[in-house]
Amino acid sequence: MADEDDQQQSAANQAVEEPLDLIRLSLDERVYVKMRNERELRGRLHAYDQHLNMVLGEVEETVTAVEIDEETYEEIYKQTKRTIPMLFVRGDGVILVSPPLRAG
Amino acid sequence: MAASGQEKFYAQNTLVVLLIAMENERIKVETKNESLIQGKLMNCDGYGNLTLSKATVTNSCGKTLRTDELHVKASSVRYVHLPNKVNPIEAIQQQFAKSKRINTPKMPPKYKKTVQS
């Protein structure tokens, strides 16, 4: 019975039937998460749920701010980076989640 | 505490369970208005609303405010920094073991179908 359950579990872990199943394939891998307010996260995906709340480990957050040069009116992109060891991310701020291969 | 069915469902089926598992730990919360709140997590409901005690709020200008008790609305949360020592998976499993699961979620029928075929 336990074996059957395990088999069902592992088969269920492999099945891709809905978009969120694709994220499960990235569990325990490094992922790229684009967030609202020009924020980007790169980190190890420990857990997620249907709201795209996520738990990321060894996260590098990049915040991009645009400044206008006063003289030339050129747009200057200022990036600030920081690392956070373990982070819970609320799902409503998430725009996209990208699997490890494309996470540069 | 009279939690609605929906609240209980969220508490048992979303990552809110991890926040509930962090009760009595000191956490840092970043809010969407760019404030940083540090304090001890006293309570977290099924929606993820937080109650902190001995909280320090630092707003985006760097101004700080100390309060004995602070409620943070779930929708204003952007990040929660978890304590370093925490293993999220273990914490979730321990929390599941603690909470009485009245409605044990069944595996969705579609998965059963896949297994049989």
Side-chain angles (χ1 to χ4, degrees):
Chain A
M1 188 59 204
D3 278 355
E4 266 177 45
D5 278 353
D6 283 351
Q7 277 176 12
Q8 283 197 352
Q9 207 71 45
S10 64
N13 282 341
Q14 295 304 321
V16 177
E17 299 206 349
E18 56 167 27
L20 282 187
D21 291 345
L22 290 165
I23 297 180
R24 189 176 44 219
L25 302 177
S26 305
L27 272 176
D28 223 24
E29 308 269 1
R30 284 188 79 78
V31 291
Y32 165 81
V33 183
K34 188 176 164 71
M35 304 275 298
R36 295 175 63 148
N37 299 88
E38 287 75 41
R39 285 162 191 269
E40 295 163 296
L41 303 172
R42 285 182 179 83
R44 184 169 296 276
L45 181 65
H46 287 289
Y48 70 95
D49 66 15
Q50 66 265 48
H51 301 120
L52 288 184
N53 296 324
M54 286 184 281
V55 179
L56 299 171
E58 299 139 46
V59 193
E60 185 190 64
E61 190 204 22
T62 311
V63 186
T64 310
V66 187
E67 281 181 14
I68 310 269
D69 190 293
E70 285 179 13
E71 288 170 9
T72 60
Y73 297 106
E74 277 179 69
E75 289 184 345
I76 302 164
Y77 292 93
K78 268 182 79 175
Q79 288 201 329
T80 44
K81 286 188 184 183
R82 59 173 176 160
T83 55
I84 302 145
M86 191 64 74
L87 191 66
F88 171 91
V89 181
R90 193 174 150 88
D92 61 355
V94 173
I95 294 174
L96 69 86
V97 184
S98 173
L101 275 180
R102 270 150 280 176
Chain B
M1 194 180 87
S4 68
Q6 189 188 35
E7 185 180 346
K8 278 183 195 158
F9 178 85
Y10 283 143
Q12 296 180 347
N13 293 280
T14 71
L15 279 186
V16 166
V17 69
L18 181 61
L19 296 182
I20 295 171
M22 291 299 112
E23 276 175 11
N24 296 317
E25 297 275 357
R26 284 194 69 81
I27 56 167
K28 275 196 261 183
V29 181
E30 278 183 56
T31 61
K32 289 184 177 146
N33 63 9
E34 315 292 340
S35 297
L36 180 67
I37 302 167
Q38 291 170 282
K40 186 177 164 194
L41 181 63
M42 297 311 285
N43 185 258
C44 172
D45 71 9
Y47 301 107
N49 299 311
L50 309 170
T51 307
L52 303 171
S53 77
K54 300 269 187 295
T56 310
V57 186
T58 311
N59 70 9
S60 55
C61 309
K63 215 174 154 187
T64 61
L65 168 83
R66 288 187 58 84
T67 57
D68 278 347
E69 190 164 312
L70 183 75
H71 298 278
V72 185
K73 190 176 155 148
S75 63
S76 70
V77 172
R78 179 181 287 135
Y79 302 136
V80 178
H81 297 230
L82 305 174
N84 263 341
K85 55 178 182 183
V86 167
N87 176 338
I89 307 298
E90 274 176 21
I92 290 169
Q93 282 167 350
Q94 282 170 11
Q95 187 60 36
F96 274 142
K98 253 190 246 174
S99 64
K100 287 178 197 159
R101 308 194 72 189
I102 304 152
N103 307 313
T104 313
K106 296 181 181 92
M107 204 180 274
K110 56 178 181 181
Y111 289 146
K112 285 184 180 164
K113 211 166 54 192
T114 343
V115 172
Q116 282 161 8
S117 62

